[in-house]
Amino acid sequence: MAVESKKTPEQAHAAERVLEHFDRIAGDPAVGKGLLLQNLGLFIRNSGLAKILFVNDLYERVLDRPGLICEFGCHLGQNLVLFENLRAIYEPFNVERRIVGFDNFQTAGGYPSVDAARDGDSTELTSDAYSLPAGYADMLRDLLRFHEGMSVYPDHPRCEVVAGDATATVPRYLAEHEGESVALAYFDMATYGPTRACLDAVAPRLLPGSLLVADEFNFRRYPGASRAFLEWSAEAPFHLDYETSRYMRDRTLVRVGARR
């Protein structure tokens, strides 16, 4: 089952026409896929552009903060690729800036840890809308390696993709990298259990100025992630400042302050 579209019938029809134009131009040898990739502004909608500006804003906010850039819940992995390309723009010689994505990269079914009492009963949590082809994690690793290979120090890998249940993989990864702090932690797991587990796991690695991003904060359709953040915030040993993103008003930024 797909996620319900928010487009009107007229908008959906227009979007189909745009996709037809995309396919026709990509298949025309006069333009081709390579040139089209350099001109995606022809097709990207304002919502897609806002997402890129949003991710750029996140990177700029932690540019002077040491530590990992982590994403919990990657889906296709676009944010990871954007983070890597922004790293190549803003700090190409910083070989210690690492980008790590955690996801189960499921091939079928909805979110694996839905608790109806905490997460609600939205069909978005139980549909196949976020399922991926088998072996997608390896393809994403290959894409990231391509982007790394086009930047300074191409033989120095800085991006990692960790597949599996984040409630187990995140604590294990951090235990294996004891000396690393977290500059940015992006949470996009929608449900209570994994969100709370990953918040607890990264808490000891946060520094004053570290930034957390809550992708689904105050979402009525599925409130689990928001509940996890609110509970965790009440117990956190440091002050937290919440604000909405200037580019995506339904995304919440949480800046870590001094210890209480």
Side-chain angles (χ1 to χ4, degrees):
M1 181 188 299
V3 177
E4 182 180 355
S5 173
K6 298 177 183 178
K7 299 184 182 73
T8 65
E10 294 77 14
Q11 289 172 329
H13 178 68
E16 287 297 325
R17 287 183 58 200
V18 169
L19 289 176
E20 291 172 4
H21 292 321
F22 182 92
D23 289 339
R24 182 172 64 83
I25 296 173
D28 191 322
V31 179
K33 295 178 181 178
L35 185 57
L36 193 56
L37 280 173
Q38 299 177 39
N39 290 271
L40 285 180
L42 288 167
F43 298 97
I44 192 169
R45 289 283 300 121
N46 58 355
S47 56
L49 180 57
K51 181 64 179 294
I52 293 173
L53 292 172
F54 167 65
V55 174
N56 178 74
D57 182 52
L58 298 181
Y59 204 107
E60 287 187 312
R61 287 171 181 259
V62 299
L63 191 54
D64 61 348
R65 309 293 176 177
L68 300 168
I69 292 176
C70 299
E71 183 173 34
F72 307 111
C74 309
H75 194 217
L76 293 173
Q78 175 180 243
N79 288 350
L80 299 178
V81 172
L82 290 175
F83 283 136
E84 163 53 24
N85 280 293
L86 291 168
R87 183 207 58 75
I89 292 170
Y90 289 124
E91 43 184 356
F93 300 104
N94 184 1
V95 297
E96 300 307 326
R97 177 73 80 190
R98 292 181 176 83
I99 299 161
V100 190
F102 300 87
D103 199 294
N104 61 8
F105 299 102
Q106 63 193 32
T107 57
Y111 286 82
S113 57
V114 178
D115 176 352
R118 285 171 164 159
D119 297 320
D121 57 1
S122 171
T123 57
E124 292 184 51
L125 299 178
T126 55
S127 75
D128 286 329
Y130 298 103
S131 299
L132 296 168
Y136 189 84
D138 287 333
M139 186 172 71
L140 178 56
R141 292 185 182 102
D142 192 48
L143 285 170
L144 286 164
R145 190 68 193 97
F146 162 75
H147 289 284
E148 288 182 301
M150 301 298 286
S151 62
V152 176
Y153 301 134
D155 296 324
H156 195 293
R158 284 157 289 215
C159 299
E160 296 179 69
V161 173
V162 182
D165 181 353
T167 62
T169 60
V170 173
R172 182 164 62 243
Y173 181 91
L174 293 174
E176 292 170 353
H177 299 80
E178 292 185 0
E180 304 221 39
S181 61
V182 173
L184 171 63
Y186 192 123
F187 292 82
D188 190 9
M189 295 184 290
T191 55
Y192 175 89
T195 301
R196 180 60 198 256
C198 291
L199 281 167
D200 290 339
V202 302
R205 305 301 181 89
L206 300 175
L207 302 173
S210 293
L211 184 67
L212 311 179
V213 183
D215 198 275
E216 297 103 353
F217 193 74
N218 282 339
F219 273 34
R220 289 187 176 183
R221 298 191 306 279
Y222 36 96
S226 185
R227 287 175 171 168
F229 260 90
L230 290 173
E231 288 182 13
W232 179 82
S233 297
E235 302 168 9
F238 27 68
H239 294 280
L240 298 167
D241 181 42
Y242 281 70
E243 63 176 293
T244 57
S245 164
R246 61 184 293 197
Y247 294 109
M248 301 185 75
R249 289 298 187 181
D250 61 347
R251 302 298 189 266
T252 301
L253 315 182
V254 187
R255 181 70 81 174
V256 175
R259 297 190 72 83
R260 291 173 175 168

